Amino acid sequence: MTDVFTSEKRSQIMRAIVSEDTKPEVAVRRLLFADGFRFRLHVRSLPGKPDIVLPKWRTVIFVNGCFWHQHRGCPRAVLPQSNADYWRPKLARNQKRDKEDYAALAASGCRVLVVWECACKKKTLASLQALMRRFIRDPHGPAFCEIGRSEVLALLQAQDGERAL
């Protein structure tokens, strides 16, 4: 399948993509602030330049785009059919770099939370907030956690089941 845009238009679209202050990232920050968590943003001295750093809790949060970081099992993580020879290695490098950054942060004593873009929808924000709160406030919990759409929906279903009782 060929690209529906001209190369100039595609370049313009790609230049407009930002890596900081994205809608999902801002949504996560609002939820954290509403829960009383205070944080720093985009700390360049840490591996991977985490989107959010909670120094008091020794926790870092990455808000990853499902496409750019290839969220496994997510419909948004589809590999483009056009120019696949370019995209496949590029996206694989992103995944490799992410794993290295997470390992380096864990080795330094930080807990790592990855919040996927698909978990940041309006109707699932309350569940996302509860899952983040649970991870951050549990000092003996896992050193690494991912929150995607499936985790948020599972919590929503569990809450609906409790209300039905």
Side-chain angles (χ1 to χ4, degrees):
M1 180 175 179
T2 59
D3 199 349
V4 296
F5 296 110
T6 65
S7 62
E8 293 82 20
K9 179 65 176 175
R10 177 61 63 198
S11 292
Q12 179 185 3
I13 291 169
M14 296 305 286
R15 274 194 304 274
I17 296 171
V18 294
S19 64
E20 294 181 2
D21 300 329
T22 62
K23 285 182 183 181
E25 183 183 327
V26 171
V28 167
R29 293 189 330 219
R30 284 185 177 148
L31 295 174
L32 291 170
F33 194 85
D35 264 349
F37 294 111
R38 298 303 176 252
F39 46 82
R40 295 172 54 203
L41 301 175
H42 313 292
V43 178
R44 296 180 194 280
S45 62
L46 292 174
K49 195 173 88 170
D51 298 312
I52 301 166
V53 178
L54 298 135
K56 176 181 176 180
W57 302 92
R58 296 209 35 90
T59 301
V60 298
I61 300 174
F62 290 90
V63 183
N64 286 349
C66 295
F67 170 75
W68 293 104
H69 298 270
Q70 290 293 287
H71 183 198
R72 194 171 289 138
C74 181
R76 296 170 176 260
V78 175
L79 188 68
Q81 292 180 351
S82 63
N83 207 6
D85 292 337
Y86 167 78
W87 285 107
R88 192 172 291 111
K90 177 177 182 54
L91 297 174
R93 279 193 314 269
N94 287 351
Q95 289 180 303
K96 182 177 185 271
R97 185 174 50 248
D98 288 344
K99 286 179 184 175
E100 291 169 355
D101 293 338
Y102 302 157
L105 287 163
S108 71
C110 290
R111 298 175 66 225
V112 178
L113 175 62
V114 177
V115 177
W116 290 99
E117 168 190 18
C118 60
C120 300
K121 301 298 169 204
K122 284 183 183 178
K123 67 180 183 179
T124 59
L125 288 178
S127 296
L128 173 61
Q129 185 175 23
L131 289 169
M132 290 190 305
R133 182 185 318 122
R134 187 181 306 161
F135 176 80
I136 295 167
R137 290 200 173 139
D138 182 6
H140 304 295
F144 178 81
C145 181
E146 293 183 85
I147 300 175
R149 186 169 190 268
S150 58
E151 290 82 11
V152 171
L153 291 177
L155 181 61
L156 269 176
Q157 289 173 348
Q159 290 171 343
D160 288 343
E162 289 174 6
R163 286 188 203 120
L165 294 176

